[in-house]
Amino acid sequence: MTEAARVLALLAERGQTLAVAESLTGGLVAAELTGVPGASASFRGSVTAYATALKHELLGVDGALLAERGAVDPEVASQMAAGVRARLGADWGVATTGVAGPDPQDGQPVGTVYVAVAGPAGTGARTGSPTGKVVPLRLNGDRAEIRRESVRIVLALLHGELSGNARAQDTEQNGGN
């Protein structure tokens, strides 16, 4: 079973949905997910915001942040994931942003990538605020390899978050802390 299939199975078990915001991966995360039969049960859709301005206009990434740091930044990745989650009405949002090459971008070298996950409030967070996680990556390889590895890692990150949250929910439902 592929990572995409595992993610979609966990989402379906939980009755939850997913939306994707992509930059450097240009739709590859969405393609990986929609390649799984039955993906429509949990996958709401995606936004490929390749141009920096679209990250602000479509995903709600702070314009001042983009102007100050550029699109290749951990906070940008976090806001992309939260933005696509909110805009597409999903329980979970994931995002990819970075430099696949061949040239550096925003002062960042090729292989600099940030992947992010934004989800519903965790069982430990009684405030009701969404959970989120950003992972910085330094990837080697050519453009295609960097993009493929970014897809693999963001799906693995989501799988880990879903698995962790599922364990936390089981513990809470069974009276544990």
Side-chain angles (χ1 to χ4, degrees), residues 8-9 11-18 33-34 36-44 91:
L8 290 166
L11 288 165
E13 274 177 31
R14 298 166 72 160
Q16 293 183 325
T17 57
L18 171 65
L33 290 163
T34 58
V36 176
S40 61
S42 298
F43 183 62
R44 299 229 357 117
D91 297 296

Side-chain angles (χ1 to χ4, degrees), residues 49-70:
Y50 210 60
T52 299
L54 292 179
K55 290 171 181 63
H56 171 68
E57 295 165 12
L58 297 178
L59 299 171
V61 176
D62 183 271
L65 173 67
L66 289 166
E68 180 183 325
R69 297 189 201 163

Side-chain angles (χ1 to χ4, degrees), residues 41-130:
S42 298
F43 183 62
R44 299 229 357 117
S46 65
V47 173
T48 301
Y50 210 60
T52 299
L54 292 179
K55 290 171 181 63
H56 171 68
E57 295 165 12
L58 297 178
L59 299 171
V61 176
D62 183 271
L65 173 67
L66 289 166
E68 180 183 325
R69 297 189 201 163
V72 183
D73 180 81
E75 183 59 27
V76 170
S78 179
Q79 289 186 23
M80 287 173 65
V84 79
R85 177 180 175 260
R87 297 250 179 356
L88 273 60
D91 297 296
W92 293 87
V94 298
T96 63
T97 188
V99 186
D103 300 314
Q105 177 187 336
D106 297 332
Q108 300 289 339
V110 171
T112 302
V113 176
Y114 296 97
V115 296
V117 173
T123 57
R126 305 283 183 219
T127 62
S129 61

